[in-house]
Amino acid sequence: MKISLLQQMYKDVLVGIPLARESHHYASLLNLCVEQSPERDESCNRMHLPSTNGGIRSHQDTDMSDAVVPTTDDISNSFANMNSSFCPREVMLLQLTLIKMMVAKAESQEIEFDTRQKYCEIFVLLLKEAKIDSKLICLLGSYDQLLSHMASKSLASLVYFQLKEENALNVTWLTFSLKTLSGFPVNTQVAECLWTLTTIIEEILKDKVLPKAGILKKLLAPLDAVLEGFYNSILFHHFVSHHYTSPYSEAANNLISFIDLLEALLASRIELEIALRCQRVLFLKVSYVLNLISSSIHYLIKKKFIMLLKKCVLCKSREDAKSGSLFLQNPSLYEDMLALGNAVLRDVNLNWLNRIPLSEKASYFGGSEAAPGDDTQGGSDQTVLRALSLVVLKALEFKFQNSATEAEIKGDFQSSMSQLLMFWRSHLKYFPQSHPVVHHCEWLSLIFIEQDDDMWEAAKALLLIYLKFDRLRHDAADLLSQKEEETWNFLMHANGYNPHCIFLFFLEKIAFDSTVLLDFLISSETCFLEYLVRYLKLIRKDWHQFVDVCNHFDSKHGTFQSISSVKPPHQEKQSCMTDENLQNACCAPEPQTPISLAASHSCLVFTAERGDNEVAESNQSNSLICTDSTSLLGSLQSLVNYDSSEDSELESDGKGCLINTTQVPLNNEGETRIRETGCSYTADEQNTLKSEVLPLKQKGSNISSCLTCVASSDNIIPLRIMLYKSTKCLEELQKAISRLQRRNLFPYNPSALLKLLSHIEKISKNMNPQ
């Protein structure tokens, strides 16, 4: 027969035309023609293709020149002897493609029952008579990577087909897998075996009809002990780091394939209510992975392990899956999460983070080097930086959830957060448009601003930690002294987890744009809804704390900036604030009377003595108090133009931001940089802004006037800018949600959220009646 028969069969299967001839004919067409050594090892069944141009040999083909062709039907023999333009390799690739395609068609309910039944008959003939599974196993070891890959996919499809249709595990494949995995590291060719097992698990998880838990248990139970032993062997007992310095080595290929299998096992653990030892071993022995991450293995392998840990702590089985707190309802998964979290925190407190060198090169299409003339500067891999940070924060959250007293967690929390803050500080210099940071609560928005789903997971973790800390404190003592309250406030800021600061810093980064918050609420990819509901409940309960933090933003940001200007962030010792300075900056009582800027240069004017280079560098920095976030808005533009609806004028208040930057001399103390954000409002809003004001007695300044921030002697500066902007943003969010709800355009029922937002609005208006 000619290749045309296979090609015609391919066309018929592709469009779903019933196969007219009997099943034996098509089984013969699909039967692989693979030469076999008479002395082959029965466990591996090593075979190879005929020695023709384009033929591919296996790894063990060097001493097999006298191999004989196994007895098969005439059609299969004709493939090996073809002299046409189609070589045996191409014929075999077409056969493998057809097998995989037919398995998919046999499972599709869109195909007629008779056609699907015919496909099943062909598979039975291939498995029982042609021993196609043995031949596919042989092809796994081919030098030809495409042939090996297709053989793995086809073998996985057939094993999965037997599991689903016959409720039976393929004995030939199981024997091969057990011997291959248990033979490591003597037998180093394990990647192909891992590929096949990973594909089978993924196919089971994708099936919408199959009783997944039972089928998966039937698949993994015989391999359970062997897989745990293989985990110990490849990651610990026989691990030699220099074998993994190249991503192209066989050792690295084995390890990368094993990481893919661990991801599939993690997905099966999260999605299905089974907990075999091979599914738990990553959690219970995560220290092996942590050691590898800080070793000298190739960066690609480190990154894959770090991203795997991130999926673990998020209970996120796949990239398109939602993260969740399923472990709270699953006792064994909850136990495993605690084990993982404790191991991570133990290593973090032993300086583990600082032993992980992040890549300083960006990724480019076609390689890792920038094109000639490209001015892009390499920086820290922010994807890995965020993932590591999230792993640590979620580990802290797990530990808090399992702690009954403040004493159990206070020391570990402060130590871990200190390590994390130092880790962030050491990599801040690589951030584009970075600026000196003093207030630790700003780190979160700086690190995570480009990845919104991770940012809200991190913010939620810190919020839950804060709430648990607060509850434990009040459980221990009904009434706290003023000194205890001051210490508590100081620790919140020093460790960077004050929820009000975190939220307000984020609002600054998005220029108080309520449509960005609306995008997050509508998106199913973030946990922002859960975070916002918890945070609004906190504001309702601790309104005075929220107001105090807003007032500190107005009056203390200049102090933050001036301190950081003197102490560059790249000098670790100099960039760390003393406890006294931080307490003064963050926790000092809010002044209740107007003060003169001339008497306190650090209120809204950032002062520092700088050289020319430092001034130039400062000109590129972002202000801590003003919303100079235009560059960030590019990556945070609203997904939908909500002002396009017919009553959008209710949301539009004519607000526009004007950023004025001017350098003016101040008492001959060098050059002072003043960043101001001017926001023009409607006439009705001007009265809202006219609260406490400060006269600025400064001569020689020539700055454009504005209604909210002015730096000349004839103008005024209101104190409660942050409170007004933040509550105004929440009010606009409430209006937008209400409008969408009235038109049935909101994706879920936001009644509870609207009730909270309405309550916050009432509290705000009662505080400032107009």
Side-chain angles (χ1 to χ4, degrees):
M1 293 291 180
K2 300 293 184 181
I3 188 65
S4 58
L5 291 175
L6 269 178
Q7 292 174 323
Q8 184 59 48
M9 182 181 178
Y10 177 85
K11 294 176 182 178
D12 293 343
V13 172
L14 184 64
V15 298
I17 296 176
L19 300 178
R21 304 184 67 171
E22 58 184 34
S23 299
H24 279 86
H25 169 78
Y26 296 107
S28 299
L29 283 175
L30 294 174
N31 191 16
L32 299 173
C33 180
V34 181
E35 294 187 5
Q36 173 182 337
S37 170
E39 301 88 8
R40 73 183 186 278
D41 180 37
E42 291 184 3
S43 65
C44 296
N45 292 315
R46 289 292 180 183
M47 300 181 183
H48 64 287
L49 292 170
S51 298
T52 60
N53 293 334
I56 305 298
R57 293 177 176 268
S58 74
H59 290 296
Q60 300 181 358
D61 65 352
T62 52
D63 298 325
M64 297 184 180
S65 57
D66 298 327
V68 297
V69 180
T71 303
T72 57
D73 53 38
D74 295 336
I75 297 177
S76 294
N77 284 330
S78 69
F79 293 149
N81 300 321
M82 280 192 331
N83 294 319
S84 65
S85 60
F86 289 92
C87 67
R89 173 182 183 269
E90 291 169 321
V91 172
M92 200 167 289
L93 287 173
L94 181 54
Q95 290 172 311
L96 295 174
T97 302
L98 264 170
I99 291 172
K100 191 174 187 312
M101 183 188 299
M102 289 173 66
V103 171
K105 296 282 186 179
E107 297 166 2
S108 174
Q109 298 300 317
E110 298 177 1
I111 305 299
E112 293 181 4
F113 176 78
D114 292 342
T115 302
R116 288 187 281 124
Q117 195 67 25
K118 187 66 169 286
Y119 293 165
C120 292
E121 292 175 4
I122 295 172
F123 294 144
V124 170
L125 291 172
L126 286 173
L127 289 166
K128 304 299 183 184
E129 297 182 9
K131 305 296 182 185
I132 192 72
D133 45 5
S134 297
K135 297 178 181 180
L136 288 171
I137 288 171
C138 299
L139 289 177
L140 293 179
S142 172
Y143 281 140
D144 189 316
Q145 294 183 11
L146 179 57
L147 196 59
S148 178
H149 173 75
M150 288 300 299
S152 173
K153 293 289 187 181
S154 299
L155 179 61
S157 296
L158 289 173
V159 173
Y160 169 63
F161 170 80
Q162 284 186 284
L163 270 172
K164 183 176 181 179
E165 299 298 328
E166 302 175 9
N167 196 27
L169 192 58
N170 187 289
V171 177
T172 304
W173 170 81
L174 178 61
T175 304
F176 160 73
S177 299
L178 289 171
K179 187 155 190 176
T180 300
L181 296 176
S182 60
F184 183 85
V186 176
N187 173 27
T188 59
Q189 295 175 352
V190 297
E192 298 82 9
C193 174
L194 298 172
W195 297 346
T196 307
L197 178 56
T198 302
T199 304
I200 296 171
I201 296 174
E202 291 173 346
E203 290 294 328
I204 293 174
L205 293 178
K206 287 190 295 185
D207 198 301
K208 297 179 180 179
V209 181
L210 193 70
K212 301 178 185 179
I215 294 295
L216 191 67
K217 191 171 184 178
K218 182 181 287 291
L219 171 71
L220 294 178
L223 295 166
D224 196 24
V226 172
L227 284 172
E228 183 180 2
F230 182 77
Y231 180 96
N232 297 333
S233 182
I234 194 171
L235 298 186
F236 183 68
H237 294 301
H238 301 283
F239 179 78
V240 182
S241 60
H242 71 266
H243 290 163
Y244 300 88
T245 54
S246 169
Y248 306 107
S249 65
E250 183 182 53
N253 188 29
N254 290 337
L255 194 53
I256 292 172
S257 302
F258 186 54
I259 296 173
D260 293 337
L261 175 60
L262 289 175
E263 289 187 4
L265 290 171
L266 172 65
S268 67
R269 175 73 195 285
I270 294 173
E271 296 182 25
L272 307 177
E273 294 183 0
I274 56 175
L276 297 174
R277 187 73 183 179
C278 63
Q279 296 172 293
R280 302 183 63 192
V281 66
L282 174 61
F283 296 88
L284 302 180
K285 298 183 180 181
V286 72
S287 57
Y288 297 174
V289 173
L290 300 178
N291 290 336
L292 260 64
I293 290 174
S294 60
S295 71
S296 59
I297 60 174
H298 192 271
Y299 187 74
L300 172 65
I301 302 175
K302 291 186 183 185
K303 186 169 184 175
K304 285 184 71 69
F305 268 125
I306 291 169
M307 302 311 292
L308 176 61
L309 289 181
K310 175 185 167 184
K311 290 181 180 180
C312 286
V313 298
L314 293 179
C315 283
K316 192 173 181 180
S317 55
R318 294 184 297 270
E319 286 301 326
D320 58 344
K322 295 181 182 179
S323 59
S325 53
L326 298 176
F327 63 93
L328 294 176
Q329 291 81 36
N330 188 329
S332 65
L333 186 56
Y334 180 73
E335 177 185 340
D336 292 352
M337 284 292 185
L338 288 177
L340 184 147
N342 288 334
V344 168
L345 295 180
R346 182 174 60 249
D347 279 22
V348 166
N349 292 332
L350 294 175
N351 207 32
W352 175 70
L353 287 173
N354 291 326
R355 297 200 304 270
I356 305 173
L358 300 188
S359 174
E360 296 186 2
K361 291 183 179 179
S363 296
Y364 300 90
F365 289 110
S368 60
E369 301 293 338
D374 193 345
D375 294 333
T376 303
Q377 296 180 354
S380 295
D381 188 334
Q382 295 184 35
T383 300
V384 173
L385 179 63
R386 287 190 293 266
L388 283 169
S389 304
L390 196 53
V391 167
V392 176
L393 292 175
K394 295 296 287 186
L396 285 169
E397 179 192 337
F398 300 152
K399 184 153 190 174
F400 266 68
Q401 289 176 342
N402 195 50
S403 301
T405 63
E406 182 181 359
E408 291 181 36
I409 50 178
K410 188 173 181 180
D412 283 344
F413 175 74
Q414 293 181 10
S415 176
S416 298
M417 284 303 298
S418 174
Q419 290 288 334
L420 188 57
L421 289 168
M422 287 192 295
F423 180 64
W424 287 343
R425 186 183 300 114
S426 66
H427 293 284
L428 176 68
K429 58 186 177 182
Y430 297 115
F431 273 68
Q433 299 177 343
S434 62
H435 65 106
V437 176
V438 171
H439 200 299
H440 292 168
C441 296
E442 188 182 9
W443 283 108
L444 194 75
S445 56
L446 284 175
I447 298 294
F448 290 98
I449 193 67
E450 294 182 4
Q451 190 69 33
D452 50 16
D453 53 344
D454 288 353
M455 177 174 62
W456 295 119
E457 285 288 351
K460 186 184 75 172
L462 288 175
L463 177 60
L464 292 174
I465 289 172
Y466 170 87
L467 294 174
K468 183 66 178 282
F469 243 146
D470 190 48
R471 185 167 65 252
L472 293 177
R473 284 189 322 113
H474 286 90
D475 289 345
D478 293 336
L479 185 61
L480 299 174
S481 65
Q482 182 179 355
K483 184 177 181 180
E484 288 174 328
E485 285 289 350
E486 291 176 355
T487 303
W488 161 246
N489 288 332
F490 164 71
L491 290 175
M492 278 193 299
H493 294 287
N495 291 313
Y497 71 104
N498 182 286
H500 304 303
C501 282
I502 289 172
F503 186 69
L504 293 175
F505 274 122
F506 169 73
L507 290 184
E508 278 193 332
K509 296 295 184 295
I510 63 169
F512 300 89
D513 187 352
S514 62
T515 59
V516 176
L517 302 183
L518 185 59
D519 288 340
F520 289 149
L521 285 174
I522 292 175
S523 172
S524 62
E525 298 177 358
T526 75
C527 64
F528 181 65
L529 173 62
E530 181 183 355
Y531 166 83
L532 185 61
V533 169
R534 290 180 184 271
Y535 179 64
L536 292 177
K537 289 179 179 180
L538 176 64
I539 295 181
R540 184 179 61 182
K541 175 186 173 184
D542 294 331
W543 174 257
H544 67 285
Q545 290 282 356
F546 175 71
V547 174
D548 287 345
V549 173
C550 288
N551 291 339
H552 285 308
F553 266 74
D554 292 332
S555 64
K556 297 299 182 182
H557 277 166
T559 303
F560 299 158
Q561 181 67 25
S562 63
I563 293 173
S564 64
S565 301
V566 177
K567 301 179 179 181
H570 60 275
Q571 299 178 10
E572 180 176 329
K573 292 183 179 179
Q574 292 180 334
S575 64
C576 296
M577 294 181 63
T578 64
D579 290 354
E580 181 180 358
N581 285 338
L582 185 58
Q583 191 165 13
N584 291 336
C586 301
C587 309
E590 175 63 22
Q592 300 300 320
T593 58
I595 56 176
S596 171
L597 280 182
S600 178
H601 301 316
S602 63
C603 284
L604 287 175
V605 181
F606 305 155
T607 61
E609 293 184 4
R610 299 186 177 98
D612 293 339
N613 292 336
E614 290 174 301
V615 171
E617 189 174 313
S618 172
N619 289 340
Q620 297 176 356
S621 66
N622 293 327
S623 167
L624 285 174
I625 183 171
C626 302
T627 58
D628 187 6
S629 307
T630 342
S631 60
L632 290 170
L633 288 176
S635 61
L636 288 169
Q637 286 298 325
S638 301
L639 302 177
V640 182
N641 183 8
Y642 301 105
D643 288 340
S644 62
S645 59
E646 61 187 30
D647 56 349
S648 62
E649 63 272 8
L650 297 176
E651 297 299 313
S652 177
D653 56 6
K655 180 173 62 178
C657 285
L658 304 173
I659 300 173
N660 302 323
T661 302
T662 308
Q663 293 182 352
V664 294
L666 185 61
N667 297 337
N668 297 323
E669 292 181 2
E671 292 186 350
T672 301
R673 176 174 174 76
I674 304 176
R675 281 182 177 263
E676 301 171 314
T677 300
C679 299
S680 58
Y681 294 88
T682 60
D684 292 337
E685 293 166 341
Q686 295 181 24
N687 294 329
T688 306
L689 288 171
K690 291 179 179 178
S691 56
E692 300 174 87
V693 298
L694 297 178
L696 177 63
K697 297 180 180 180
Q698 177 64 43
K699 298 181 180 180
S701 60
N702 184 16
I703 304 173
S704 300
S705 62
C706 67
L707 294 176
T708 59
C709 297
V710 182
S712 70
S713 60
D714 298 327
N715 294 301
I716 56 178
I717 298 179
L719 278 182
R720 291 189 169 175
I721 302 172
M722 178 58 74
L723 180 62
Y724 174 80
K725 287 184 176 181
S726 56
T727 53
K728 181 68 174 178
C729 179
L730 294 176
E731 183 182 341
E732 291 171 351
L733 177 64
Q734 178 190 355
K735 291 179 180 178
I737 296 173
S738 299
R739 187 178 71 234
L740 292 174
Q741 185 191 30
R742 287 196 303 269
R743 300 182 175 188
N744 295 322
L745 295 176
F746 209 74
Y748 51 86
N749 185 0
S751 299
L753 178 60
L754 287 172
K755 186 176 180 181
L756 282 169
L757 289 168
S758 176
H759 192 81
I760 300 301
E761 181 185 9
K762 290 178 181 178
I763 296 176
S764 176
K765 289 183 176 179
N766 290 337
M767 178 182 175
N768 296 299
Q770 299 298 327

